[in-house]
Amino acid sequence: MIKIAPSILASNFLCLKDEIISVEKAGADLIHFDVMDGHFVDNITFGPMILAQAKNCVNIDFDVHLMVQNPSKFIPWYAKAGADIITFHLEASNNPMTEINLIKSFGLKVGISVKPQTDVNELLPYIDYIDLILIMSVNPGFGGQSFNTDTLNRISKVKEMIKNNNIFIEVDGGINKENAKLCIEKGADILVAGTTIFKSENYKKIIDELKGV
Ligand code: DX5
Ligand code: ZN
């Protein structure tokens, strides 16, 4: 069954506690927590202190997406604050095995993300060591962008590449009811959705629709 990870980037920050409790009650499987540093992307979001407090409000796992340069510096901060999955960008790392081993040293699940322009074959050396591949379907940095349709072929390529490895395929950016179905057909396991969920009137209805139930 597909998992839905609402991205709190599109939530009402002044009501963050209510927002994450609402999406948990509405059937969200994970909370997607976008970390931006103003260097890797042109935006700044949430520090580890926010994660530590948000973590106490719900029982579902936190899926931390690091859009930062020098991920090794940030990984311990978010691991200690309560992350369950930490995903870093392949493009931000000099030696991805360093980040993989660092995340594992905290007993957490490891993800690697790729921007739309990055060849997914660059992930190949790491597939024996990771739990998740996050395929960006927009340029990272901002919510509310349009889904890049090349993503569908990229999901198929990654699905073929990982074969029997037990790796989740997560897709992030511009997900809506229509393209969610196409991503699921190609083999996505987790869909991140910010705007589509948090700008909707009824979180349960839209999460069910994204899951195709
Ligand atoms: C973009 C973030 C996404 C973003 C998705 O850099 O990684 O998680 O919040 O938001 P929507 O669903 O609005 O594209
Ligand atoms: Zn994200």
Side-chain angles (χ1 to χ4, degrees):
M1 170 74 133
I2 190 84
K3 292 184 192 299
I4 302 296
S7 165
I8 58 168
L9 190 60
S11 70
N12 180 342
F13 301 148
L14 299 181
C15 307
L16 186 58
K17 180 178 179 180
D18 294 340
E19 291 278 63
I20 58 178
I21 290 173
S22 298
V23 288
E24 181 186 40
K25 282 193 185 139
D29 300 282
L30 300 159
I31 300 289
H32 187 80
F33 193 93
D34 284 310
V35 176
M36 304 185 187
D37 66 348
H39 294 281
F40 184 73
V41 292
D42 280 337
N43 201 357
I44 293 179
T45 56
F46 319 107
M49 291 183 289
I50 296 180
L51 175 61
Q53 294 192 7
K55 175 79 184 168
N56 287 329
C57 304
V58 286
N59 292 312
I60 50 178
D61 284 350
F62 274 72
D63 172 34
V64 173
H65 177 192
L66 294 181
M67 285 161 276
V68 301
Q69 286 297 354
N70 192 9
S72 289
K73 175 179 166 185
F74 292 79
I75 287 164
W77 300 356
Y78 289 89
K80 289 175 192 163
D84 298 281
I85 304 168
I86 298 185
T87 296
F88 64 94
H89 268 265
L90 189 65
E91 304 87 355
S93 171
N94 293 325
N95 178 10
M97 284 312 299
T98 305
E99 280 83 15
I100 291 171
N101 289 328
L102 182 57
I103 295 167
K104 284 189 175 174
S105 75
F106 289 96
L108 307 179
K109 289 203 163 59
V110 182
I112 304 187
S113 182
V114 281
K115 292 183 188 181
Q117 305 79 6
T118 301
D119 185 345
V120 292
N121 288 316
E122 291 183 31
L123 293 162
L124 200 52
Y126 311 107
I127 60 173
D128 287 336
Y129 309 101
I130 61 178
D131 303 289
L132 181 150
I133 290 173
L134 172 49
I135 303 173
M136 290 301 302
S137 35
V138 298
N139 282 321
F142 296 89
Q145 304 180 71
S146 298
F147 180 86
N148 181 334
T149 50
D150 293 346
T151 306
L152 298 171
N153 279 334
R154 290 162 64 75
I155 299 170
S156 301
K157 276 192 200 165
V158 169
K159 187 85 184 160
E160 172 63 21
M161 182 196 302
I162 62 179
K163 291 202 177 83
N164 299 323
N165 288 65
N166 205 5
I167 297 179
F168 287 113
I169 299 178
E170 182 172 25
V171 183
D172 183 6
I175 294 289
N176 59 30
K177 281 187 272 185
E178 289 72 35
N179 57 39
K181 190 167 177 288
L182 303 175
C183 292
I184 295 167
E185 280 169 10
K186 296 289 182 188
D189 303 293
I190 304 172
L191 298 178
V192 175
T195 308
T196 292
I197 293 176
F198 285 105
K199 303 300 179 224
S200 142
E201 293 289 310
N202 183 330
Y203 295 169
K204 170 142 179 49
K205 182 165 180 278
I206 186 67
I207 289 173
D208 281 349
E209 285 170 348
L210 291 171
K211 286 187 181 183
V213 292

